[in-house]
Amino acid sequence: MNEIRHRIKALRMELLRLNLDAWYISGTDPHASEYLPDRWQTRAYISGFTGSYGVVVVTQEEAGLWTDSRYFLQAEEQLKGAGIKMYKLRIAEAVPPEKWLAKKLQAGSKVGFDPQTLSVSAFRNLDNCLNKAGISMVETPDLFEKIWENRPEMPTDLVFELKHHYVGLSRKDKKDLLTAELKKYDADFQVITTLDELAWVFNLRGSDIPYNPVFAGYGIVGKNDWILFVDEAKVPHDLKTHFEKEKITLIPYSNFPVWLKSVRGKRIFIDSGSAGFAVYGALHSENKLVEGTSLVALLKAQKNKTELAGFRDAMKKDGVALLEFLFWLRENVGKGTVTEYTAGRKLAEFRSRQNDFKGESFAPIVGYKEHGAIVHLNVGAENALPLEADGILLFDSGGQYLQGTTDITRTVALGEVTQQQKTDFTLVLKGMIALTITKFPAGTKGCHLDILARKALWENGLNYGHGTGHGVGHFLNVHEGPMSIRKEYSEISILPGMVMSNEPGLYREGEYGIRTENMIVCVEKETTTFGHFFGFETLTLCPIDTRLIDFSILSEKEREWLNSYHNLVRQQLKPLIRKELFGFLEELTKDV
């Protein structure tokens, strides 16, 4: 922790040099990425906190880290002795960083920020709040360049093309779709800054970021503009030839800011929620900017038939790996050698035996007993609990396959369980089923559906702090927008083709955690005189542990859903598994 204190001291020296009272660290990169390349692990470097979400603010006297309920316990632990206080976000009485700064600093103070890594909307939110307190925001260079010795360079791995039989739409098809959307706004082109949107629109993938098959770059796409900003050394020769034929211009990644400054008299679409303030700063005085949710993100969110067929294929591979894992778990738990960590590695090993497996989609979360209550726990070999033939184990994991991305959570009994654990598990399951079987009119937002997953818990005075569902990319990021199912309001309606998670949970600190997560896809259900109605189909294929269910609180309809789901799992997986697992699969999926 002395090292962290030393880094904060070095940063404070830079603030003094620049005559600043505080520096705001968004904790992301110029692409608003959740998972980061080593070069942009700025939040971890300055604080020691390794979670995927959090903002850090450093003043001359204090330092704070703001994060959400997934990381409260982890942040508390990792910040010990660092001289950084943890503040809670997304809770009723939260004091966000801008309000904290407005209280702590005097009028006339200056708060520095790196415009590359702060989005336009985040800047406005901060500036608005601080302005009222007489505090100004000041653009600074990337100060980590000054204080981070031997800072990693960006990866130089090659990008590769995802073939047509996986994606279903050519680059030209996607350009045409985007151009049609831009026409509605009378815009010349969209600036694409997020890496998953860039990968999707150009049908490319990479390996610059752990768990996310993306690469560092920017894009400009419109009727008369088709530019990919990426380091040329990352593009294989045959791909360059394709780009030349398709009239796609390649410009080095580092030339992006200079190119932006050269643009004049255009009408340009940007997503102010993800585009860095530096992008806005370079364009706004000489051009007309149209702001909104990224049109690429909206197109990408509604998966086409080829992508959906790929997801279903990926789920079968994942289901086989998960069944192997559950069998291995049953055979090996309690023998003294299995820990949370080795279980996570074993799960990855079973996935890696599947065709077209390209890696995990996030670091596995394997929580036994009290560790299960740490929502985004990631244990190492040294702090992993040994698994015994007792209590419950939560494991949340996923795979990247050429056909699609998976994300699944199961909670399983390793031995004796309590009545409270069974009740809790069943209430969570009731929420997961309620969201799965609902039918809703077109125009429904995620926040309208969130209550369905919580109702059974709320009725028993219980709740969980995280969202219920996030979008999932097609061999892309496991967390994908712009849609979500959570309590917070979002403008984005849930539409057919959107692939999402459905993951209610319950966490008793110091005791255990429970979460059951399937991936679902929104589908059209029916049209009546009252309008179009949508619903969900389940994609995930993995048994749910019936030993943890209290059937006295499960309705007949819920029991029917469970039997029908297990029937589907059995039908889909049986032809793909080794004969030794037939009996095991039958046992896990038999009618109840």
Side-chain angles (χ1 to χ4, degrees), residues 3 6-8 10-11 14 38-39 41-42 45-46 142-153:
E3 201 174 359
H6 178 71
R7 290 169 186 174
I8 290 172
L11 179 57
E14 287 300 317
D38 289 345
R39 178 174 183 77
Q41 294 280 358
T42 53
Y45 179 81
I46 202 71
D142 174 7
L143 299 184
F144 285 102
E145 282 293 274
K146 299 275 190 189
I147 66 169
W148 191 340
E149 286 178 34
N150 305 316
R151 185 179 183 181
E153 293 299 323

Side-chain angles (χ1 to χ4, degrees), residues 11-286:
L11 179 57
R12 285 182 173 138
M13 294 300 286
E14 287 300 317
L15 297 187
L16 277 176
R17 199 175 58 78
L18 294 168
N19 193 23
L20 294 171
D21 301 283
W23 204 47
Y24 182 95
I25 302 162
S26 68
T28 184
D29 64 1
H31 309 281
S33 305
E34 177 186 13
Y35 294 90
L36 300 161
D38 289 345
R39 178 174 183 77
W40 288 103
Q41 294 280 358
T42 53
R43 175 178 47 229
Y45 179 81
I46 202 71
S47 71
F49 168 66
T50 57
S52 68
Y53 174 75
V55 163
V56 178
V57 176
V58 177
T59 71
Q60 285 299 349
E61 289 77 37
E62 296 179 60
L65 174 126
W66 282 256
T67 190
D68 65 20
S69 68
R70 294 172 297 170
Y71 295 117
F72 291 162
L73 299 177
Q74 181 183 329
E76 205 75 81
E77 191 59 38
Q78 290 183 327
L79 296 177
K80 273 180 189 162
I84 301 171
K85 190 175 174 191
M86 193 222 8
Y87 296 94
K88 296 179 176 184
L89 284 177
R90 293 179 177 162
I91 58 165
E93 61 280 13
V95 178
E98 60 275 18
K99 288 190 176 164
W100 183 85
L101 278 164
K103 263 199 202 127
K104 293 281 176 187
L105 302 180
Q106 295 175 344
S109 297
K110 293 174 184 166
V111 176
F113 72 101
D114 176 1
Q116 289 183 90
T117 58
L118 189 67
S119 73
V120 180
S121 54
F123 165 81
R124 285 177 184 151
N125 182 43
L126 271 165
D127 193 46
N128 196 18
C129 183
L130 295 179
N131 235 324
K132 289 173 188 164
I135 299 164
S136 52
M137 300 268 299
V138 178
E139 292 187 34
T140 71
D142 174 7
L143 299 184
F144 285 102
E145 282 293 274
K146 299 275 190 189
I147 66 169
W148 191 340
E149 286 178 34
N150 305 316
R151 185 179 183 181
E153 293 299 323
M154 286 299 285
T156 52
D157 305 10
L158 290 176
V159 303
F160 62 94
E161 185 164 26
L162 200 56
K163 299 294 182 201
H164 190 270
H165 61 271
Y166 294 121
V167 296
L169 292 169
S170 69
R171 280 187 280 274
K172 169 121 183 20
D173 293 335
K174 290 178 178 181
K175 179 178 185 262
D176 291 346
L177 282 171
L178 182 55
T179 301
E181 291 302 312
L182 286 164
K183 201 172 177 186
K184 296 173 188 174
Y185 297 89
D186 203 19
D188 295 302
F189 57 78
Q190 180 177 334
V191 180
I192 299 161
T193 58
T194 65
L195 303 184
D196 61 332
E197 292 176 27
L198 186 72
W200 182 84
V201 87
F202 282 96
N203 284 342
L204 301 174
R205 298 294 187 268
S207 52
D208 287 0
I209 293 183
Y211 308 114
N212 297 180
V214 296
F215 59 94
Y218 297 97
I220 301 291
V221 182
K223 190 178 176 188
N224 304 311
D225 301 274
W226 213 358
I227 308 171
L228 175 61
F229 293 85
V230 65
D231 286 337
E232 221 164 299
K234 294 173 74 69
V235 185
H237 178 71
D238 59 335
L239 207 45
K240 281 182 190 161
T241 310
H242 283 310
F243 288 164
E244 279 167 28
K245 279 186 192 152
E246 295 171 50
K247 298 192 164 44
I248 295 170
T249 307
L250 269 186
I251 298 181
Y253 178 73
S254 56
N255 288 11
F256 180 64
V258 177
W259 185 89
L260 287 178
K261 289 192 177 88
S262 74
V263 180
R264 301 268 187 286
K266 296 285 188 186
R267 196 171 158 88
I268 303 164
F269 194 102
I270 67 164
D271 183 334
S272 51
S274 56
F277 189 71
V279 172
Y280 177 88
L283 293 172
H284 83 103
S285 60
E286 300 292 334

